[in-house]
Amino acid sequence: MRICLSTFAVIVSLVACQLLQAAEPSSAAGRALVKFVDDHVIAGAVTLVAQDGKIVSLDAVGRADLAGDRPMRPDTLFWIASMTKPITTASVMILQDEGKLSVLDPVKKYLPEFKSVALAGGATPSRPITLRDLLTHTSGIANPPPEVQQKTLTEVAEAVARQPLQFEPGSQWKYGFGLSVAGRVVEVVSGQTFDAFVDDRICRPLGMNDTTFYPSAEQRQRLATIYAVDKESKQLEPAKPPFFINAEPAVRHAPNPSGGLVSTAGDYYRFLQMVLNGGELDGKRIVSAEAAKQMTSIQTGDIKSGFVAGSAWGLGWGIVREPQGPTAMLSPGSYGHGGAFGTQAWVDPKRHAIFIMLIQRAGMPNSDGSEMRIAFQTAAVTELKN
């Protein structure tokens, strides 16, 4: 019996070692996030690095759910929050390519409620709000009251239009609900609900089968849990999902163009590669080359914009004007977007490279400047050919 137990212990030990070795991330980018898992800053992560149209590395570390001891996997789904915004912008650009609208059009051309927008005190702004203002966060619109934010896009747009503008359109940058109003314009111009348009014109053509506002029962089994650090215990605890995601199967509020999508690293890579390719992937053209360039070129001039120093803004995308701090390892002209739960996805067109980091960590003061982002991107560039 002693021999059997001893043999069994050796076998168990060997299997455990093999499992640990299998779970060890294969890339520098993946290994860079192990420390944050070990230090209980995040529960887990999926990282993807690509160059020249090929995935260089795809790693999953840690747990997708701590209570259930569910390991993170490459196909784990994440609430990507504001990483939805570039997809919303692409929706607008599709309609521009078809001649159905222009980003220079006044919003009131499509949403009559914007004919009477006013500054604080009732003054009429010097010019109308344009779609371009919405996409660059320079419109001056204020966020609607919380009780409205879960309603239909029609109600959201109407509530936004009733509120005083915070500043003259085009004069400042202030991150907000502009992309949600743009999503309503997509509905009006296309005649489709926003979620149907995104699915028909972007997700299905690109094979982004796990990108949706309404995850299925099977997809929910692969969703990573959102965590926050408990103030008292200092441990990771599940966080209450915010208004902009359909967190429960019974909840089906309007699709949020500013932050409601779930996706995987592989799916979002396909979207980014399409943009990097000038609007096309695997023979499927989503937007024109001109539209792809317009989206990812600086549109805010010298206006201070973005969440970290050296930033500018395109149409729905953050742009690296002068690399520094969290963007020091990226080339000038790199573009991308982060999300409320720490997710980051950036394209470096000079290197023909893509960097995606998916985590689910709420409560960070500035995910664009997070230590995880810096560690991931710093390691990721070491995997590239140039």
Side-chain angles (χ1 to χ4, degrees):
M1 178 64 71
R2 284 181 188 148
I3 294 174
C4 291
L5 284 174
S6 176
T7 303
F8 178 76
V10 170
I11 293 172
V12 169
S13 178
L14 288 172
V15 170
C17 287
Q18 290 171 352
L19 289 173
L20 285 172
Q21 290 170 357
E24 180 71 20
S26 61
S27 69
R31 288 191 294 272
L33 294 183
V34 171
K35 173 184 181 299
F36 298 97
V37 173
D38 292 343
D39 291 346
H40 308 292
V41 177
I42 57 175
V46 172
T47 62
L48 184 150
V49 180
Q51 189 175 36
D52 296 328
K54 297 180 180 179
I55 295 175
V56 176
S57 68
L58 174 59
D59 268 312
V61 299
R63 293 290 180 266
D65 182 77
L66 295 174
D69 196 28
R70 178 160 52 93
M72 198 68 81
R73 303 189 328 186
D75 67 345
T76 295
L77 277 81
F78 296 76
W79 297 105
I80 60 171
S82 286
M83 280 166 50
T84 302
K85 290 180 171 72
I87 293 177
T88 298
T89 299
S91 301
V92 173
M93 303 311 282
I94 288 170
L95 296 173
Q96 177 174 271
D97 283 338
E98 294 175 349
K100 296 177 180 177
L101 57 74
S102 165
V103 296
L104 299 180
D105 289 339
V107 178
K108 64 183 180 181
K109 179 177 179 179
Y110 308 102
L111 305 180
E113 56 268 34
F114 277 81
K115 291 180 179 179
S116 56
V117 293
L119 296 160
T124 302
S126 60
R127 68 164 177 79
I129 297 170
T130 65
L131 295 178
R132 181 175 178 272
D133 294 327
L134 296 178
L135 300 177
T136 56
H137 301 289
T138 59
S139 64
I141 64 171
N143 293 346
E147 63 271 17
V148 178
Q149 293 177 2
Q150 296 185 48
K151 296 187 177 181
T152 66
L153 291 182
T154 301
E155 293 171 298
V156 168
E158 290 173 348
V160 166
R162 287 193 297 268
Q163 297 182 126
L165 296 181
Q166 301 171 92
F167 49 81
E168 285 278 0
S171 65
Q172 298 180 40
W173 184 90
K174 188 170 184 180
Y175 194 72
F177 257 67
L179 276 293
S180 290
V181 177
R184 174 57 186 154
V185 172
V186 170
E187 290 189 331
V188 170
V189 174
S190 70
Q192 291 183 279
T193 61
F194 184 70
D195 57 303
F197 186 90
V198 168
D199 192 51
D200 288 348
R201 304 301 299 275
I202 297 176
C203 294
R204 280 196 285 171
L206 291 178
M208 297 169 63
N209 299 321
D210 279 327
T211 302
T212 178
F213 290 99
Y214 305 108
S216 66
E218 185 278 327
Q219 288 170 327
R220 287 181 179 278
Q221 295 297 314
R222 291 187 283 128
L223 268 172
T225 300
I226 301 171
Y227 288 97
V229 175
D230 183 79
K231 292 181 180 179
E232 295 183 2
S233 69
K234 307 300 181 184
Q235 299 298 309
L236 290 173
E237 298 289 346
K240 181 180 179 181
F243 74 90
F244 53 78
I245 60 177
N246 287 276
E248 300 296 335
V251 175
R252 194 179 174 87
H253 58 67
N256 188 297
S258 290
L261 283 172
V262 301
S263 190
T264 63
D267 269 20
Y268 208 78
Y269 159 69
R270 293 186 64 77
F271 173 70
L272 295 182
Q273 190 66 56
M274 176 273 293
V275 177
L276 179 57
N277 289 351
E280 177 271 339
L281 182 69
D282 295 340
K284 300 291 181 65
R285 179 156 294 281
I286 306 301
V287 297
S288 66
E290 294 79 10
K293 183 176 180 179
Q294 189 177 11
M295 283 192 294
T296 58
S297 298
I298 295 174
Q299 302 288 330
T300 49
D302 294 329
I303 296 174
K304 185 178 180 181
S305 54
F307 298 104
V308 296
S311 298
W313 218 258
L315 298 179
W317 298 78
I319 298 177
V320 179
R321 186 200 300 272
E322 299 175 355
Q324 56 191 279
T327 64
M329 69 297 294
L330 301 177
S331 303
S334 294
Y335 53 87
H337 215 292
F341 310 124
T343 54
Q344 292 286 325
W346 290 82
V347 176
D348 188 326
K350 183 178 180 180
R351 293 186 173 106
H352 307 285
I354 290 171
F355 312 101
I356 298 173
M357 179 188 77
L358 299 182
I359 63 176
Q360 295 285 256
R361 169 61 204 283
M364 291 191 296
N366 180 5
S367 61
D368 275 20
S370 74
E371 293 182 30
M372 284 83 74
R373 178 192 180 182
I374 295 171
F376 161 64
Q377 291 179 171
T378 300
V381 296
T382 68
E383 300 180 34
L384 304 181
K385 290 186 293 186
N386 50 50

